[in-house]
Amino acid sequence: MTTAALIVAAGNGVRAGGTVAKQFAQLCGKPMLSHSFSALSSHPAVTEITLVIGEGQQDQAREKLGDSVNFVNLVTGGAERRDSVRAGLEALEGKGVTRVLIHDAARPFVPAAVIDALLEALDQAPGAIPALPVADTLAKGTEFLGDNVARANLNRIQTPQAFHFDAILAAHRAWPADEEATDDAQMLRRMGQDVLLVPGDPMLEKITHPQDFAAAEARHAATLISRSATGFDVHRFETGQELWLGGIRIPHDKGLSGHSDADVALHAITDALLGTIGAGDIGMHFPPSDPKWRGAASAQFLEHAAKLVREQGGIIDFIDLTLICEAPKIGPHREAIRASIAALLSLPLSGVSLKATTTERLGFTGRGEGMAAQAIATVRLPE
Ligand code: MG
């Protein structure tokens, strides 16, 4: 059985204050569309993804989806949602697709369990959709309250909606052009076919209004698990070098030497962040053997690590850094270093802690030959 996912992302509505269409706006560290794309493409039953975008959105889709755009069929949609779905279905015809999941990109978080339930239901009916019971009291009225509406058998309908491919394509083709479209499941019912209800999920809530972005971020955050990882780094003091710590230059009679700007603090934090996602160490991402990193500002290493964490849906919660040296004195620079690190990571100042210690004149740091830094990063990540 071949199961295709068809993601409808053809809207032109923009997030408040933004210029990008909603489906391409940033949500939890990546474009909104990327979330449902990842969820659907990583489901073992889904063999191909068709993405329906708006006229003129090709470049944007390519830019926002990056390499993953190579794994989708990009189709240009139409004026109405129905036209867009139809275009996607027509593009899938003749490809041997037997089942299709039709999904709106405005519902970014798609639990695998919902996909499982939908596909299982397709063994019993040509259509299946996720539905949630209505919890609130429903009533008529505009200015004054009217009668209550019985909610016993009422449902809130979500997507993805799952169908036998031939059945839903036929339903779309049969729908009268002059009649206002309803959703895909109702089109199938019009053909006299059954559509099963499976339990929906609050994670599937739709993003309609600008304020829904914050609510979606909060829903997503509640599903994350906390993870911490450490980083450690050492650089040698040399006269004639600048001393960079935490992204700012510290006046001192010696500086740290290394291939980059040798910012021992940022290197330790970068390794800690990479550790939280098991992404190796700083040397793997920025090899010292590569001349392009000679004298490089380490801020870009840190920002790269933070981007990798956020691309995985991660939230950086806290950095704790310890600098180990006899000199310079860190105290006078503490707040400036904290503020710099917080700014580089887009964290509040309270998200960065900085401590300093000596080693009682023992060892290489005690003799003033070099400086060490250790960091721990705490992040929240999808399970
Ligand atoms: Mg280093």
Side-chain angles (χ1 to χ4, degrees):
M1 234 171 324
T2 306
T3 305
L6 197 165
I7 305 176
V8 185
N12 283 314
V14 298
R15 184 179 181 171
T19 51
V20 226
K22 200 172 62 180
Q23 63 273 30
F24 300 119
Q26 288 292 112
L27 177 74
C28 305
K30 51 186 186 180
M32 193 210 290
L33 172 59
S34 300
H35 292 281
S36 55
F37 173 79
S38 305
L40 287 161
S41 61
S42 65
H43 192 280
V46 175
T47 46
E48 65 172 288
I49 307 262
T50 291
L51 179 60
V52 187
I53 52 173
E55 187 83 53
Q57 290 179 337
Q58 281 83 353
D59 290 347
Q60 213 172 168
R62 280 177 218 286
E63 183 206 319
K64 295 289 182 182
L65 283 179
D67 287 343
S68 39
V69 84
N70 298 325
F71 304 104
V72 304
N73 318 306
L74 274 187
V75 172
T76 303
E80 305 292 331
R81 183 184 181 280
R82 171 178 54 147
D83 304 322
S84 295
V85 174
R86 173 84 183 267
L89 291 174
E90 296 288 354
L92 281 167
E93 208 208 1
K95 290 190 167 183
V97 171
T98 50
R99 306 184 296 191
V100 63
L101 291 154
I102 302 177
H103 183 63
D104 291 329
R107 302 181 191 269
F109 307 121
V110 188
V114 173
I115 301 175
D116 291 340
L118 288 167
L119 294 179
E120 208 181 302
L122 286 188
D123 291 342
Q124 292 149 55
I129 63 174
L132 283 177
V134 175
D136 296 324
T137 298
L138 296 178
K140 294 181 183 168
T142 47
E143 190 181 357
F144 293 101
L145 177 66
D147 290 340
N148 279 0
V149 178
R151 66 176 183 214
N153 295 318
L154 290 182
N155 296 288
R156 293 165 58 215
I157 304 302
Q158 302 178 314
T159 76
Q161 302 193 348
F163 303 100
H164 292 176
F165 180 77
D166 291 343
I168 192 66
L169 178 61
H172 266 266
R173 285 178 174 171
W175 192 264
D178 57 353
E179 190 174 335
E180 200 176 330
T182 161
D183 69 345
D184 305 295
Q186 293 295 353
M187 289 169 131
L188 189 67
R189 282 191 67 236
R190 177 74 67 88
M191 302 289 282
Q193 311 240 34
D194 286 336
V195 177
L196 273 172
L197 299 178
V198 309
D201 194 301
M203 284 302 287
L204 277 168
E205 209 70 50
K206 189 175 186 177
I207 295 186
T208 307
H209 306 293
Q211 62 270 26
D212 296 342
F213 276 82
E217 300 246 0
R219 262 196 321 281
H220 178 250
T223 68
L224 303 179
I225 54 158
S226 184
R227 196 179 284 178
S228 296
T230 66
F232 178 74
D233 196 34
V234 167
H235 281 271
R236 179 188 299 276
F237 273 126
E238 267 181 28
T239 48
Q241 296 277 349
E242 294 178 349
L243 176 60
W244 286 83
L245 290 177
I248 60 173
R249 193 173 162 194
I250 306 292
H252 192 48
D253 61 349
K254 287 177 287 189
L256 294 172
S257 82
H259 195 71
S260 64
D261 66 6
D263 191 324
V264 71
L266 294 192
H267 292 187
I269 300 170
T270 300
D271 262 354
L273 285 174
L274 292 173
T276 62
I277 51 170
D281 57 43
I282 192 170
M284 288 167 54
H285 293 264
F286 305 98
S289 55
D290 188 336
K292 89 173 154 191
W293 306 122
R294 183 180 299 280
S298 298
Q300 65 190 298
F301 305 158
L302 182 70
E303 284 167 338
H304 177 73
K307 181 167 165 265
L308 293 180
V309 170
R310 290 182 174 130
E311 278 174 356
Q312 297 210 3
I315 296 170
I316 301 169
D317 280 325
F318 190 66
I319 302 292
D320 186 33
L321 172 71
T322 303
L323 294 174
I324 305 156
C325 60
E326 299 292 329
K329 290 253 172 289
I330 300 301
H333 308 290
R334 182 191 309 274
E335 290 313 305
I337 294 173
R338 279 180 76 199
S340 168
I341 294 166
L344 288 170
L345 293 173
S346 306
L347 286 178
L349 197 57
S350 59
V352 179
S353 152
L354 171 58
K355 310 190 293 309
T357 187
T358 70
T359 49
E360 299 286 333
R361 300 190 175 275
L362 295 169
F364 71 88
T365 54
R367 293 187 296 272
E369 295 166 7
M371 188 166 173
Q374 64 183 24
I376 182 160
T378 303
V379 305
R380 275 172 293 159
L381 286 164
E383 264 182 280

